[in-house]
């Protein structure tokens, strides 16, 4: 009998797999070393399993960078100055979740004076020790599919220290029609030494009147880097041809805790060739 073995790594913060469930709180740790009273910081993460489950996890750190598409790129054996792993200790590094009980993982970030100004980062991975096997029907005679499920959850950890700056702007905002859809192409630039995490909305305007509004997918612009995004403009609020304005309103919190707005506009045209 032929068997197809697949391995899946699931990076969801709350997930279901092969009769197991887990919840992590918080899903991101963002710490300010300037708030420390000594040369160290402490934090904790709560991990809770399913009510009728028994699962064992190991914890280990990895260094990462944020890509220009907003994804997490794991980098091994890094010598970067913002490599946070060397300053962090955590306990426990392996534990068992049973019957919905909560396990607290405690972190200590020490030797803060050795860290550079700006942002340092790492990700803590929780990975189940024992892989689970799930058999799936293949629909073919004499062929079965065995799915080997290995669950991994990542909790990013960021530490800002010294004189850190969070500053971003929209450098490029284009709108173009592709395959009967109207899409935006956005380039955001972060000029500070700490990431910018933004949320926002887009407004569709015609003749100075608000026609429709929709949320913009939140993302992260890496320190001293750029972010490229592409999205489709929903046209369900548009019922006639003509010229429209799309106004982007993005918001982020700067290093002083103040809310900042980034606003940018561009025009697009709905004509007889566009399905609305």
């Amino acid at each position: 009998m032929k068997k197809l073995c697949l391995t899946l790594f699931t990076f969801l913060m709350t997930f279901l797999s092969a009769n197991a469930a887990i919840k992590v709180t918080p899903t991101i740790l963002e710490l300010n070393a300037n708030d420390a009273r000594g040369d160290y910081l402490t934090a904790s993460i709560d991990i809770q399993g399913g009510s009728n489950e028994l699962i064992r996890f190991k914890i280990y750190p990895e260094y990462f960078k944020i890509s220009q598409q907003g994804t997490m790129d794991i980098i091994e054996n890094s010598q970067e100055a913002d490599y946070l792993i060397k300053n962090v200790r955590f306990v426990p590094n392996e534990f068992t979740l049973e019957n919905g009980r909560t396990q607290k993982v405690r972190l200590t970030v020490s030797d803060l004076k050795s860290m550079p100004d700006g942002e340092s980062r790492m990700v803590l991975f929780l990975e189940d020790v024992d892989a689970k096997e799930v058999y799936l029907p293949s629909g073919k005679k004499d062929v079965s599919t065995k799915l080997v499920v290995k669950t991994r959850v990542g909790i990013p950890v960021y530490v800002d220290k010294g004189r850190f700056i969070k500053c971003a702007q929209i450098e490029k905002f284009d709108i173009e029609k592709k395959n009967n859809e109207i899409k935006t192409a956005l380039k955001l630039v972060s000029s500070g030494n700490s990431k910018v995490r933004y949320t926002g909305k887009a407004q569709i305007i015609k003749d100075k009147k608000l026609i429709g509004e929709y949320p913009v997918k939140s993302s992260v612009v890496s320190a001293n880097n750029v972010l490229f995004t592409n999205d489709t403009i929903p046209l369900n609020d548009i019922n006639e041809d003509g010229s429209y304005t799309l106004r982007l309103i993005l918001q982020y919190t700067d290093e002083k805790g103040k809310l900042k707005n980034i606003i940018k506009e561009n025009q697009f045209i709905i004509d007889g060739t566009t399905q609305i």
Side-chain angles (χ1 to χ4, degrees), residues 80-127:
E80 297 286 346
D82 56 8
Y83 181 87
L84 183 59
I85 295 175
K86 64 183 182 298
N87 293 85
V88 176
R89 299 292 180 270
F90 54 90
V91 289
N93 56 19
E94 193 167 318
F95 58 87
T96 299
L97 293 178
E98 183 177 6
N99 297 328
R101 295 172 183 166
T102 299
Q103 173 67 53
K104 188 177 290 293
V105 176
R106 302 183 186 276
L107 291 85
T108 300
V109 186
S110 58
D111 196 18
L112 299 177
K113 62 180 181 294
S114 69
M115 295 170 55
D117 281 2
E119 174 192 285
S120 297
R121 80 198 75 81
M122 70 177 206
V123 56
L124 270 183
F125 280 119
L126 282 72
E127 185 176 307

Side-chain angles (χ1 to χ4, degrees), residues 21-53:
I22 184 174
K23 181 180 180 181
V24 179
T25 308
T27 57
I28 299 172
L29 278 177
E30 296 178 306
L31 308 175
N32 188 338
N34 297 338
D35 295 335
R37 295 183 178 181
D39 196 30
Y40 68 93
L41 282 170
T42 59
S44 64
I45 302 166
D46 290 324
I47 302 146
Q48 185 178 26
S51 57
N52 297 308
E53 296 299 328

Side-chain angles (χ1 to χ4, degrees), residues 113-172:
K113 62 180 181 294
S114 69
M115 295 170 55
D117 281 2
E119 174 192 285
S120 297
R121 80 198 75 81
M122 70 177 206
V123 56
L124 270 183
F125 280 119
L126 282 72
E127 185 176 307
D128 56 346
V129 174
D130 299 317
K132 301 171 181 62
E133 296 182 355
V134 181
Y135 287 89
L136 303 174
S138 67
K140 295 183 179 180
K141 187 178 180 180
D142 298 328
V143 176
S144 66
T145 301
K146 183 174 73 174
L147 192 66
V148 180
V149 181
K150 190 89 169 175
T151 306
R152 191 167 78 158
V153 178
I155 304 101
V157 182
Y158 300 91
V159 177
D160 286 317
K161 181 220 167 180
R163 187 174 181 273
F164 64 92
I165 299 171
K166 296 177 180 287
C167 182
Q169 62 181 351
I170 297 174
E171 183 175 281
K172 188 177 182 181

Side-chain angles (χ1 to χ4, degrees), residues 54-73:
L54 175 66
I55 184 169
R56 187 160 186 83
F57 279 96
K58 62 180 179 180
I59 306 180
Y60 57 92
E62 296 276 9
Y63 173 72
F64 73 95
K65 288 189 174 183
I66 302 170
S67 74
Q68 294 184 350
Q69 287 70 45
T71 59
M72 177 186 291
D73 289 349

